[in-house]
Amino acid sequence: MPSAVLPASDVPQLDTAADLLTLLRDTTTEPRPDSQLEALALAVAADLPVLLWGEPGIGKTAALTQLAAELELPLTTVIASVHEPSDFAGLPVVGDDPAEQGVPMAPPDWAVRLVRAGRGLLFLDELSTAPPAVQAALLRLVLERRVGALRLPPGIRIVAAANPRSSAADGWELSPPLANRFVHLKWTHDHEVVVRGLGGTWPRATLPRLDPQRLGDAVDFARLAVCALLAARPTLVHRLPADETRRGGAWPSPRSWDMTLTLIAFATAASSSRDVLSLLVRGTVGDGPGLELLASLDRLDLPDPEDVLADPAGAELPDRGDLRQAVLDGVVAAVRERPDRARWDAAWTLLVRAAETGPRDLVVVPATTLAALRREEWDVPASIERLAGVVSLSAQADRVADRTAARTAARTGR
Amino acid sequence: MREGEPGGGPYGAAAVLDLDKLLAARLYAARVRPYLATALFALRVVPSRQVPTMGVDRHWRCYVSPAFVDRTPVEDLAGVWVHEVSHLLRDHHGRSDRYARLHGLTGPAERLRMNIAADCEINDDVYGDGLVTPEGAVTPTTLALRPGELMEDYLRQFTLGARSQDLAWLDCGSGADGLDREWDLGADGARGLSEQERDAVRFRVAQGIKGRPGSASRGWRRWAEDAFHPPQRWRELLGAAIRSAVSGPGAGDDYTYGRPARRSAGLPGVVLPSLRRRPPRVAVVIDTSGSVSDAELGSALLEITAIAKAVGGRRDLVTVVPCDAAVRVVHALCRAEGVALLGGGGTDLRAGFAKALRLRPRPDAVVVLTDGQTAWPATRPPCRTVIGLFPRPSVGRAWHEHDPDYVPDRPPDWARLVEIGPDQGR
């Protein structure tokens, strides 16, 4: 550095600058649950191709750095848009006798280093701003794990990132068959986290740990979850995105359901929250089918009506109103299916318990339905008196109906 | 929402919540709005003497003032239940946050404005049909606004002033406007719904409405359609469709081995491809059969020329083929933009297609602007096709003088279809 640029002083200016930079970089971290990072970690662990959709500059690379550190993998970042297709498909090198030996496709140095290391996290950034030929070469890398003549060993995990279609300057988009091979994760920044981070405290996400004891159960649960839904809803198995808005995103097909199954097993083995699972499932089969799967999982968690009828006094009723009503409705439906005296009585016991331990308005519809199932020879159980509050609630609602109807009639008559 | 005097007294003598009255109201609300039952039952009741009337938070807790329940008739309470759950189903807190961030709005006054706008969106068609309008409910008419619009539309149209003076004490809680209240139990508080649970409930309600749309109002049906797929702006969709049509192999910037790259000279023995540019040619076929308005046509045509320019095309590579007698706007625009205009003729869109495909050199993409009341070519054209469709509300009612049973064909599935709606400046 020529001395003319910096004013003379005892301490060289660059050393002072280095001190200032050290101070600026001196930040602390705090643990903070981060669903999107957890979802990314699970998808990477499951070795499925992940595509992060996010605006430039919102911390995708920072997240990947943290993930790599946590998984103890070296991180290689490749900015797709500054490369040529041959950097991914391999450079054709003409040898002495091409007709005899063929033309080998020489891989670039980073790939050679990566293969030699045998393990690592490869991050392909800015997929969407690269020319079509580069993208085509990259997709081969992501999906077939090949760079030229090299094959990436299984210890290497690949994550790609792209800008959303609306903000991509030259508007690249995935064709539906390609979109179907990825787990799509939307990467967004949390305002609070950014402000706190710039203030000196960045979040540190604790990554999910797979519990070796739970692997078998996790696979059983994942199979049950997907099969239960698809058996009941055959049209969900394969549904090509029909309209423009859904193009280039996740959609359901046997392949993406298979990926979903894997992800459910991973999330279960890691005891991840439903929020994390929701990101993964919706990113694999799309919002609609994903939400249906999650709703069906909620129902899988509900007690079986037959078990409840067998032990109405000890059965666990969910705390959340809508789920509680689903259980009560299910039990009444089970009695309707196979009506007999003992089951009818058991259902009343359950309804009385429900009315005494939770909101009473939920009990009205099941109680009305159950009352209608009565056979002449069945006596009304004594416990039914404890449902008096429920009956009065229902009567109150009936009176409102009458009053409102009268009011409407008066208004229209005027 | 809150009724009563702005400064009106302490929150009443009733210390104990009349839960039966409140639940009877919920039961009644679920009876007259069966499609909302799941959402109504998913709400948690939290008695609170701090809350003025009834309010919700973003974790689906419903804070209720015992005094308010005491002084309010059951039928009004039922209306309030539906009103509060509507805030949550329509994600008003999330939308308020996004709107505030997008427009740099801060402060309680702005949040109050969001609460009012959200109330307007709900109240214009949530009542009636068995549900009475609660006292003091804000409707778009209160603010001299048009009914049937969304919260974001209303937010652009009014400011706090003389008309909204009386509303300054309105409060539906953080679930309506995203501003945390002192009585909120917060994310860590007991018995809230997680994000996934909230989505699941909203999804079930939307599915219920879509499954039996007959019983739901127009506003609810629209919400159910868009709940998980907010409509995208047609400009973005049309742009993406055209860009992907013109950037296919053979057009735009791409690598080719047809000619070695100049940097090959430095790397003997290595064959490198070179970057080659072939600007895309776009033919725009315009159905000007009179049913498309000049304004719609003008904005769509401008959009297309802008996109063609952005992907590296030159104006002389965009050709316009008007079908039927060309309207003034096409001529005017083509002159102003320097776009080549091919003569009109033929009332059939098929003739327009044929003419576009006969162009030499051949276009890389054909963009058709039409209202869809036309016949389509029977076979797939040899280049990519994008259809910009001006939706007509009464496609089923399309009527021909000589053929009352005439129903226009659906646009073919080999083309990418973008519906061009009215302009919505955001």
Side-chain angles (χ1 to χ4, degrees):
Chain A
M1 177 73 52
S3 61
V5 174
L6 296 167
S9 99
D10 293 346
V11 184
Q13 276 289 296
L14 273 187
D15 288 358
T16 319
D19 290 347
L20 183 56
L21 284 175
T22 314
L23 268 182
L24 278 169
R25 280 177 198 142
D26 185 19
T27 54
T28 55
T29 56
E30 60 182 0
R32 185 192 167 97
D34 185 340
S35 297
Q36 60 183 6
L37 190 58
E38 199 177 329
L40 172 63
L42 281 175
V44 166
D47 200 14
L48 295 173
V50 183
L51 189 52
L52 301 181
W53 293 95
E55 308 286 340
I58 57 162
K60 294 189 290 272
T61 310
L64 261 294
T65 311
Q66 196 190 359
L67 182 66
E70 200 77 27
L71 297 173
E72 293 172 14
L73 291 174
L75 175 70
T76 309
T77 302
V78 176
I79 310 274
S81 51
V82 300
H83 283 270
E84 295 191 346
S86 47
D87 292 349
F88 303 108
L91 294 150
V93 179
V94 182
D96 294 338
D97 189 358
E100 193 61 35
Q101 291 165 358
V103 178
M105 303 293 266
D109 64 332
W110 57 262
V112 174
R113 278 203 301 273
L114 209 55
V115 171
R116 204 171 291 153
R119 49 201 291 283
L121 188 60
L122 176 59
F123 179 39
L124 304 169
D125 205 358
E126 294 189 26
L127 205 60
S128 47
T129 36
V134 175
Q135 286 166 10
L138 268 174
L139 288 169
R140 180 163 170 266
L141 166 57
V142 175
L143 302 170
E144 290 173 30
R145 308 176 59 95
R146 279 183 170 281
V147 188
L150 277 185
R151 196 179 168 81
L152 297 179
I156 289 167
R157 298 291 203 259
I158 307 173
V159 177
N163 299 336
R165 198 164 63 153
S166 54
S167 73
D170 28 15
W172 171 73
E173 59 173 21
L174 286 177
S175 67
L178 272 179
N180 197 237
R181 289 174 161 90
F182 282 101
V183 178
H184 303 254
L185 292 180
K186 278 195 202 90
W187 208 258
T188 51
H189 72 276
D190 185 339
H191 176 77
E192 243 175 81
V193 168
V194 172
V195 171
R196 215 172 143 63
L198 293 174
T201 314
W202 287 102
R204 171 169 31 95
T206 40
L207 289 185
R209 300 239 160 260
L210 300 172
D211 179 357
Q213 310 292 321
R214 300 198 56 185
L215 301 187
D217 291 348
V219 172
D220 291 346
F221 177 74
R223 294 212 163 116
L224 175 68
V226 172
C227 297
L229 175 72
L230 294 187
R233 297 290 318 274
T235 54
L236 282 184
V237 172
H238 190 272
R239 196 186 278 170
L240 254 163
D243 58 12
E244 264 322 291
T245 7
R246 279 167 234 211
R247 268 183 87 97
W251 56 277
S253 76
R255 174 178 22 230
S256 53
W257 280 116
D258 185 49
M259 286 160 58
T260 304
L261 201 150
T262 309
L263 289 168
I264 297 176
F266 269 79
T268 311
S271 311
S272 293
S273 71
R274 278 285 162 83
D275 285 337
V276 173
L277 187 61
S278 167
L279 289 177
L280 288 169
V281 169
R282 288 161 74 173
T284 312
V285 288
D287 276 339
L291 284 162
E292 288 212 27
L293 177 82
L294 292 160
S296 133
L297 283 183
D298 282 346
R299 257 165 275 149
L300 275 184
D301 290 344
L302 295 182
D304 185 336
E306 293 302 329
D307 296 347
V308 176
L309 282 174
D311 177 19
E316 273 214 24
L317 283 171
D319 196 35
R320 220 174 89 196
D322 55 326
L323 297 181
R324 183 179 265 246
Q325 204 193 20
V327 173
L328 299 183
D329 285 343
V331 167
V332 172
V335 173
R336 183 210 298 270
E337 207 123 286
R338 237 168 0 100
D340 75 34
R341 180 66 204 269
R343 290 159 71 85
W344 194 65
D345 282 348
W348 280 117
T349 313
L350 180 78
L351 291 188
V352 169
R353 252 192 75 212
E356 284 170 355
T357 55
R360 281 193 282 214
D361 53 341
L362 304 178
V363 184
V364 173
V365 174
T368 319
T369 321
L370 191 62
L373 293 179
R374 179 174 166 238
R375 300 274 166 88
E376 265 180 39
E377 63 274 19
W378 296 351
D379 297 330
V380 176
S383 62
I384 219 165
E385 272 175 31
R386 281 150 67 193
L387 286 176
V390 173
V391 177
S392 83
L393 209 64
S394 175
Q396 216 176 334
D398 291 342
R399 282 198 300 278
V400 177
D402 295 343
R403 280 204 300 271
T404 318
R407 222 201 270 188
T408 321
R411 200 174 300 157
T412 45
R414 216 185 301 156
Chain B
M1 93 174 34
R2 175 178 164 188
E3 287 130 298
E5 301 297 312
Y11 295 132
V16 182
L17 176 66
D18 183 351
L19 193 61
D20 273 0
K21 187 175 176 185
L22 188 66
L23 292 185
R26 179 162 80 168
L27 180 62
Y28 177 70
R31 275 187 195 168
V32 290
R33 298 285 184 274
Y35 48 89
L36 298 182
T38 304
L40 284 167
F41 290 141
L43 278 173
R44 306 244 189 233
V45 176
V46 181
S48 166
R49 298 181 66 187
Q50 280 172 288
V51 56
T53 54
M54 262 168 88
V56 282
D57 71 7
R58 54 181 82 222
H59 307 283
W60 287 62
R61 299 189 195 92
C62 181
Y63 304 88
V64 188
S65 147
F68 173 69
V69 173
D70 257 14
R71 66 168 187 263
T72 312
V74 183
E75 39 269 65
D76 284 34
L77 281 177
V80 178
W81 268 114
V82 171
H83 176 95
E84 297 298 341
V85 87
S86 305
H87 278 307
L88 296 175
L89 284 172
R90 290 165 183 238
D91 189 27
H92 278 152
H93 51 90
R95 285 161 61 191
S96 292
D97 286 347
R98 283 195 287 279
Y99 191 89
R101 212 175 304 135
L102 198 64
H103 297 266
L105 304 177
T106 51
E110 284 299 333
R111 294 291 177 166
L112 173 64
R113 230 162 58 78
M114 289 169 194
N115 198 154
I116 295 172
D119 277 9
C120 286
E121 178 188 314
I122 294 173
N123 287 349
D124 58 4
D125 77 343
V126 78
Y127 303 116
D129 199 12
L131 216 54
V132 294
T133 313
E135 194 107 346
V138 198
T139 60
T141 0
T142 323
L143 300 169
L145 299 173
R146 257 176 312 157
E149 296 189 0
L150 297 177
M151 172 187 143
E152 287 83 356
D153 301 324
Y154 290 131
L155 273 174
R156 274 195 296 274
Q157 297 174 36
F158 73 97
T159 49
L160 294 179
R163 261 181 207 282
S164 50
Q165 201 95 74
D166 306 340
L167 311 172
W169 34 269
L170 167 143
D171 192 347
C172 293
S174 55
D177 55 21
L179 181 74
D180 289 339
R181 305 298 202 276
E182 68 255 48
W183 56 78
D184 278 3
L185 297 178
D188 307 329
R191 300 156 60 111
L193 263 59
S194 73
E195 194 182 340
Q196 188 273 125
E197 290 177 309
R198 287 176 250 158
D199 278 351
V201 172
R202 293 174 61 221
F203 182 73
R204 285 197 62 185
V205 173
Q207 292 294 95
I209 294 175
K210 276 197 248 180
R212 282 192 303 173
S215 57
S217 72
R218 201 179 50 83
W220 277 117
R221 287 203 304 267
R222 184 175 67 179
W223 169 79
E225 283 303 322
D226 298 345
F228 287 93
H229 289 285
Q232 253 185 318
R233 293 198 293 168
W234 65 263
R235 284 171 197 283
E236 287 162 10
L237 290 177
L238 185 66
I242 295 178
R243 282 196 213 100
S244 87
V246 298
S247 65
D253 289 343
D254 212 346
Y255 287 92
T256 169
Y257 282 99
R259 200 173 46 181
R262 272 175 289 179
R263 79 174 195 195
S264 296
L267 294 163
V270 177
V271 183
L272 293 172
S274 64
L275 191 60
R276 181 166 165 265
R277 155 162 293 195
R278 200 173 75 80
R281 294 167 195 278
V282 181
V284 186
V285 179
I286 299 182
D287 171 11
T288 53
S289 51
S291 40
V292 180
S293 85
D294 282 7
E296 285 174 322
L297 210 51
S299 64
L301 190 53
L302 266 181
E303 194 67 20
I304 291 169
T305 45
I307 292 160
K309 253 181 271 180
V311 292
R314 301 188 306 265
R315 268 178 306 201
D316 58 313
L317 298 178
V318 178
T319 315
V320 173
V321 185
C323 258
D324 202 342
V327 207
R328 292 180 315 284
V329 69
V330 174
H331 283 288
L333 257 174
C334 292
R335 245 197 327 273
E337 289 284 307
V339 170
L341 179 69
L342 241 70
T347 48
D348 194 339
L349 204 51
R350 285 176 295 194
F353 258 106
K355 191 169 236 165
L357 294 172
R358 274 200 307 272
L359 289 175
R360 287 291 172 265
R362 278 243 298 266
D364 295 301
V366 175
V367 182
V368 188
L369 297 177
T370 174
D371 59 1
Q373 318 247 344
T374 177
W376 298 97
T379 53
R380 178 182 196 131
C383 69
R384 290 155 198 246
T385 310
V386 177
I387 298 173
L389 193 67
F390 298 102
R392 292 289 163 260
S394 53
V395 172
R397 218 184 53 199
W399 187 78
H400 266 214
E401 207 173 334
H402 309 294
D403 182 11
D405 296 328
Y406 169 79
V407 177
D409 295 338
R410 282 289 303 160
D413 55 8
W414 37 256
R416 297 188 51 172
L417 186 70
V418 177
E419 293 213 351
I420 299 180
D423 272 313
Q424 288 183 342
R426 214 190 282 169

